[in-house]
Amino acid sequence: MTLKSVTIVIPIYNERDNIYVLKNAIHKIFAGLHYKYNILYVDDGSSDGTPGILAKVSQFDDRVEYVSLSRNFGHQAALKAGLDMADGDCVISMDGDMQHPASVLPLLLKQWEEGYDIVNTVRLEDKKLSYFKRKSSRLFYKLINHLSEFEIRAGSADFRLVSRKALDVICSLNEHDPFFRGLVSWIGFSQTHVVYQADERSFGSSKYSFKKMVQLAVRGITSFSIRPLYVAIYPGILISLMSSLYIPYALYSYFAGEAQPGWTSLIVTVSFFSGLQLMLLGIIGMYLGKVTNEVKKRPVYIIKESSLTKIANFI
């Protein structure tokens, strides 16, 4: 009987101390499972010596491969690089900071064996996180679900299993600015989820700053919905109404003879339309920028080196 194959894709950035720990944890889990498997690390331009460690690990462990990108392209680009080169019957993506526990892998595989093409994960809320972190996370999912045309469960992450059939579709999309939580929901297929409790970091600190969280939210919203173009109208109108409070003063100055000819009409017009125009132009500009990046057709990532024996020009 031919064993099914599994590829575990792990994008990492400055996680040198977690490489061995995570690799050993995965080996321990698969020792009790009947699958062929390999681990594919994707180094996203690390500056802490990660590529050298990956080269050494892959040399002595034939189940470990690595790809090193030429610079830091971002988590989603690194994830795409791994998915493009994964060759398993199914692919499991997970972070390299040990917060996605290897103990969940059998649960994902069990759901796959039951016929699901995509098995997502939902993280239980960690009470140890700061109030701001928990609140901003909830706000992220509420905002993206309200503005987008699909739903992402709160607590979702890029920790999931994808079948070969679904993965081929995802890789064929080849978007310049991919947002995989949205793409996975958008393509459909049979999907389910499992819940898990995030583990503590073994080493290092989180690389996801508040700025990166905001950038991820903007990417998700603008990649899958044009609703912000409509929503922009409402705050624009509100700003215009608030600025119109200046109109009574302008009229008073006019009738009191204190205004120069033409001043009143100019002030009223500028006050009313400036807020609306600036809001709309900003959001339209954001969408135009995304279109410009797509038209350029630049590679999503560039490979500097790899342990894989054969690499196509993936972009």
Side-chain angles (χ1 to χ4, degrees):
M1 180 179 178
T2 304
L3 295 177
K4 295 180 179 179
S5 60
V6 182
T7 299
I8 300 100
V9 172
I10 309 174
I12 55 173
Y13 176 65
N14 290 344
E15 297 286 359
R16 57 174 293 168
D17 295 324
N18 286 316
I19 293 173
Y20 282 99
V21 180
L22 181 54
K23 172 185 75 75
N24 293 335
I26 293 174
H27 284 335
K28 183 176 180 181
I29 291 296
F30 273 90
L33 301 174
H34 299 289
Y35 294 97
K36 293 189 298 182
Y37 72 98
N38 66 306
I39 303 171
L40 176 59
Y41 284 99
V42 182
D43 169 46
D44 189 22
S46 297
S47 58
D48 65 344
T50 291
I53 295 176
L54 291 176
K56 182 178 180 180
V57 171
S58 65
Q59 183 179 358
F60 293 100
D61 190 333
D62 59 5
R63 294 188 185 277
V64 176
E65 301 285 358
Y66 80 95
V67 170
S68 184
L69 305 185
S70 62
R71 64 170 176 83
N72 181 258
F73 284 88
H75 180 269
Q76 298 293 286
L79 177 56
K80 176 172 174 54
L83 296 179
D84 283 344
M85 283 169 276
D87 58 1
D89 295 319
C90 74
V91 176
I92 298 174
S93 59
M94 60 192 302
D95 289 347
D97 57 6
M98 296 301 295
Q99 292 191 301
H100 291 166
S103 58
V104 178
L105 301 185
L107 301 178
L108 301 178
L109 291 165
K110 181 176 182 294
Q111 295 296 324
W112 175 52
E113 293 287 4
E114 291 180 1
Y116 290 100
D117 287 299
I118 298 173
V119 186
N120 296 298
T121 61
V122 176
R123 183 186 66 249
L124 296 175
E125 187 173 77
D126 187 355
K127 301 298 183 182
K128 296 179 182 179
L129 293 176
S130 66
Y131 173 80
F132 175 77
K133 184 77 172 178
R134 286 184 280 120
K135 196 70 175 178
S136 61
S137 178
R138 290 184 206 142
L139 180 61
F140 167 78
Y141 289 107
K142 285 183 179 179
L143 184 63
I144 200 169
N145 287 331
H146 179 71
L147 294 178
S148 302
E149 298 169 0
F150 59 89
E151 182 178 359
I152 300 178
R153 289 178 178 271
S156 298
D158 290 312
F159 182 23
R160 68 175 64 85
L161 179 149
V162 181
S163 71
R164 169 52 56 184
K165 179 169 60 176
L167 181 63
D168 288 342
V169 174
I170 291 174
C171 292
S172 70
L173 298 176
N174 201 33
E175 295 187 7
H176 177 271
D177 198 20
F179 178 65
F180 285 102
R181 298 182 206 184
L183 285 176
V184 166
S185 177
W186 180 82
I187 65 170
F189 288 95
S190 56
Q191 303 195 19
T192 187
H193 70 278
V194 299
V195 298
Y196 73 98
Q197 185 71 57
D199 283 345
E200 294 288 339
R201 264 183 166 272
S202 296
F203 302 97
S205 58
S206 175
K207 310 302 187 297
Y208 248 94
S209 62
F210 177 73
K211 179 181 178 181
K212 288 186 176 180
M213 288 176 61
V214 172
Q215 290 174 341
L216 183 66
V218 171
R219 172 185 294 176
I221 293 168
T222 56
S223 294
F224 290 91
S225 177
I226 61 171
R227 289 183 182 177
L229 293 173
Y230 298 103
V231 174
I233 295 174
Y234 301 110
I237 292 174
L238 178 61
I239 293 173
S240 294
L241 290 175
M242 292 176 63
S243 65
S244 68
L245 295 176
Y246 194 69
I247 294 175
Y249 170 73
L251 293 175
Y252 170 79
S253 299
Y254 173 76
F255 288 112
E258 299 176 2
Q260 295 295 322
W263 178 84
T264 303
S265 58
L266 178 63
I267 290 297
V268 170
T269 303
V270 171
S271 297
F272 186 77
F273 287 106
S274 59
L276 180 62
Q277 289 176 333
L278 288 175
M279 177 71 72
L280 291 176
L281 285 174
I283 294 189
I284 291 172
M286 183 169 57
Y287 276 91
L288 182 59
K290 292 180 70 69
V291 172
T292 301
N293 287 333
E294 292 291 342
V295 170
K296 288 178 181 176
K297 295 296 181 183
R298 290 177 180 170
V300 178
Y301 56 85
I302 299 172
I303 298 172
K304 181 174 67 175
E305 61 183 66
S306 172
S307 65
L308 298 174
T309 56
K310 183 179 181 181
I311 298 181
N313 286 325
F314 294 104
I315 60 173

